[in-house]
Amino acid sequence: GNSVTQMEGPVTLSEEAFLTINCTYTATGYPSLFWYVQYPGEGLQLLLKATKADDKGSNKGFEATYRKETTSFHLEKGSVQVSDSAVYFCALNSGGSNYKLTFGKGTLLTVNP
Amino acid sequence: EAQVTQNPRYLITVTGKKLTVTCSQNMNHEYMSWYRQDPGLGLRQIYYSMNVEVTDKGDVPEGYKVSRKEKRNFPLILESPSPNQTSLYFCASSLLFLGGSNSPLHFGNGTRLTVT
């Protein structure tokens, strides 16, 4: 079955540091890949997505590239801010009759001023 | 404002006392789904619905029921709650679910349920 593995947290960074959160996946076919973000007390919001190999998703300074050869979709940001503190979830959907997102366990990011 | 609304936000109940968590969306979305979020397990799908009167089981449906009598509402029903159903629950909706192409999931703010 499908699965998503993302790096264990928590991750603590200083403001303006470089961020990488690793995500690898196992899936049949050619899945679509997503990063969702959950701010404290809120539901998840779509951060970015990529639907085919070598696509780069980007939003709010975050980027992730769909690497089929390494089955990875690592999240990066060049300079984090305190407001980026949240839980980040990598997710996939393998399409066809698969009507759900398969999520990783989430990575808590704390950015200190 | 486009949104998914869940109620209540917090609920404490006792084993065996039937409860319903409501979910409503105002975006005319066809697809709706329930997830539970548990520490170290991420989010797992409970049930989903492709449209009115069309529902199906997700990964962890045991102990839950749903109904989709109207497009905007998708309540989650726990007929006889047990302590292992203590969790954070999220309702989500999407215009269509075409393998996650251009229809992102919109999530509610969650319902924290405690069953004692």
Side-chain angles (χ1 to χ4, degrees):
Chain A
N2 298 336
S3 67
V4 175
T5 302
Q6 58 182 106
M7 63 187 287
E8 297 283 333
V11 174
T12 302
L13 297 173
S14 298
E15 207 163 24
E16 299 184 3
F18 184 86
L19 168 71
T20 300
I21 300 177
N22 290 337
C23 172
T24 57
Y25 67 89
T26 301
T28 55
Y30 301 91
S32 296
L33 302 174
F34 306 84
W35 278 100
Y36 276 80
V37 59
Q38 183 181 30
Y39 299 104
E42 298 183 10
L44 283 73
Q45 303 172 27
L46 178 64
L47 181 60
L48 54 84
K49 67 178 182 182
T51 57
K52 62 182 187 294
D54 300 324
D55 266 3
K56 177 186 283 187
S58 62
N59 186 24
K60 299 181 181 179
F62 291 88
E63 293 182 341
T65 301
Y66 188 142
R67 301 286 188 199
K68 188 159 180 64
E69 63 276 12
T70 54
T71 61
S72 65
F73 193 54
H74 304 321
L75 182 68
E76 297 182 336
K77 186 174 185 182
S79 176
V80 293
Q81 305 300 312
V82 173
S83 58
D84 293 326
S85 298
V87 180
Y88 292 81
F89 290 91
C90 186
L92 70 82
N93 176 265
S94 57
S97 59
N98 183 263
Y99 299 113
K100 68 174 182 183
L101 288 179
T102 298
F103 286 90
K105 295 180 180 180
T107 302
L108 173 63
L109 169 67
T110 302
V111 181
N112 295 319
Chain B
E1 180 188 352
Q3 59 186 357
V4 178
T5 303
Q6 295 178 229
N7 280 296
R9 287 296 303 272
Y10 301 92
L11 179 58
I12 301 174
T13 190
V14 297
T15 299
K17 185 175 181 181
K18 180 179 178 179
L19 65 91
T20 299
V21 183
T22 64
C23 174
S24 180
Q25 50 90 8
N26 62 0
M27 296 169 279
N28 201 37
H29 284 172
E30 292 191 356
Y31 175 91
M32 298 186 76
S33 182
W34 278 101
Y35 284 83
R36 61 178 287 174
Q37 182 180 14
D38 300 291
L41 295 176
L43 283 88
R44 295 175 292 168
Q45 190 185 54
I46 303 170
Y47 269 95
Y48 67 93
S49 169
M50 299 299 290
N51 214 325
V52 175
E53 303 291 1
V54 180
T55 63
D56 209 346
K57 297 177 181 178
D59 292 325
V60 289
E62 295 78 20
Y64 304 95
K65 287 176 57 177
V66 294
S67 68
R68 189 92 182 274
K69 297 176 182 175
E70 306 165 278
K71 199 171 192 178
R72 63 184 293 127
N73 296 323
F74 190 47
L76 180 69
I77 304 157
L78 285 72
E79 298 251 342
S80 183
S82 62
N84 64 12
Q85 294 178 296
T86 293
S87 187
L88 180 57
Y89 291 86
F90 287 101
C91 181
S93 73
S94 172
L95 182 61
L96 298 168
F97 205 94
L98 301 175
S101 57
N102 290 311
S103 301
L105 278 180
H106 296 259
F107 283 81
N109 284 340
T111 295
R112 185 166 293 281
L113 171 65
T114 302
V115 183
T116 61

